[in-house]
Amino acid sequence: MEDTICAIATSLGVGAISIIRLSGKDAIEKVNSIFSRDLTNVNSHSVTYGHIVYKNEIIDEVLVTVMRAPKTYTTEDIVEINSHGGYVTSNKILEILLEIGCKLAEPGEFTKRAFLNGRIDLSQAEAVMDLIDSKNEMARKNSMTQLKGGLSDKIKQLREGTKEKTFSSEILFQKLYTIYI
C-alpha cells in the first residue's frame, strides 16, 4: 500500500459540492503541490480555504481537510478536497491528481485499507457496503450496529465461551483418565 490513492467520494452529477479523497503517505504532499496555501504544518482534522492551482491556472476555489495518520479512516494520512460540484471541475481535479502521481482508487479501496491496516475487521468492512446500499431505516440501523462492532463483539463472546467450555472439558477428561488408569 505504498501508493497514494484518490477518488471522487461523492456521487457524480450536478450538485453544489464534490469531495475528492486521497489516502496514503504522500497525500498531504501531493495536494500541497497544487494548493495555493502551505498544508505541511496545518493541524490534523482542520479545514483550510484556498485554490487548486495547476500550471499557473486556478482550477477551483476549495476547502481542504487534512487528517493525519493514524487517527483516520484508513489509518494513513487522508486529504479531502471540497470543490464545486458537477462533472467538469471534480474530474479536472481528479485528472490533475493522477498526473502528479496518485493512483485511482478501486471501488472499496479506502475500506480495504482500513481493514488491512487493522482499523476495522472483516465484519465491519462488510457493514460499510451494507450501509451504503441500505434501502430502509432498519437496514441502516443493522449496518450501523455491525459497523460499531456489534457482530464482532458477539463473535468474541461466543469464542471466549467456547474456549472456557473446551478448557473445562479438557480438565474433566484428564481427571477421568487419571482415575481409570
Side-chain angles (χ1 to χ4, degrees):
M1 293 185 296
E2 292 295 314
D3 293 326
T4 295
I5 58 172
C6 64
I8 297 172
T10 48
S11 295
L12 283 176
V14 178
I17 303 294
S18 180
I19 299 173
I20 299 99
R21 179 177 295 151
L22 294 86
S23 181
K25 63 183 177 86
D26 297 326
I28 298 168
E29 177 187 321
K30 296 284 188 194
V31 175
N32 199 50
S33 72
I34 60 169
F35 192 56
S36 61
R37 298 184 58 196
D38 186 12
L39 297 170
T40 54
N41 295 315
V42 299
N43 292 330
S44 184
H45 296 78
S46 65
V47 180
T48 305
Y49 165 82
H51 296 90
I52 298 296
V53 180
Y54 188 64
K55 296 183 179 176
N56 296 318
E57 178 188 353
I58 294 176
I59 305 301
D60 195 17
E61 179 180 35
V62 300
L63 295 174
V64 172
T65 306
V66 172
M67 295 169 270
R68 298 183 188 278
K71 295 185 178 190
T72 68
Y73 182 64
T74 62
T75 74
E76 303 170 335
D77 285 342
I78 289 182
V79 178
E80 291 185 346
I81 302 168
N82 289 258
S83 69
H84 287 95
Y87 297 103
V88 177
T89 303
S90 50
N91 278 320
K92 180 65 177 174
I93 295 170
L94 183 63
E95 177 186 308
I96 292 167
L97 291 169
L98 296 173
E99 280 184 38
I100 64 171
C102 293
K103 178 185 152 259
L104 185 63
E106 297 174 14
E109 191 167 358
F110 291 93
T111 298
K112 178 182 176 183
R113 286 181 178 217
F115 169 70
L116 292 174
N117 290 331
R119 186 183 170 284
I120 59 176
D121 63 28
L122 186 58
S123 172
Q124 291 169 308
E126 291 171 347
V128 171
M129 183 54 80
D130 292 343
L131 181 61
I132 292 167
D133 289 339
S134 294
K135 302 286 189 250
N136 58 53
E137 185 62 12
M138 182 183 283
R140 183 197 64 77
K141 285 182 177 183
N142 288 339
S143 297
M144 281 306 301
T145 298
Q146 188 174 339
L147 185 57
K148 291 188 296 186
L151 180 60
S152 300
D153 291 343
K154 292 282 187 205
I155 291 169
K156 285 177 191 170
Q157 289 172 359
L158 289 171
R159 187 177 293 142
E160 289 302 315
T162 303
K163 282 182 187 176
E164 289 174 19
K165 288 178 182 162
T166 302
F167 183 70
S168 297
S169 298
E170 288 175 1
I171 291 173
L172 179 62
F173 286 134
Q174 285 176 354
K175 285 183 180 178
L176 287 172
Y177 181 77
T178 51
I179 290 172
Y180 290 105
I181 301 261

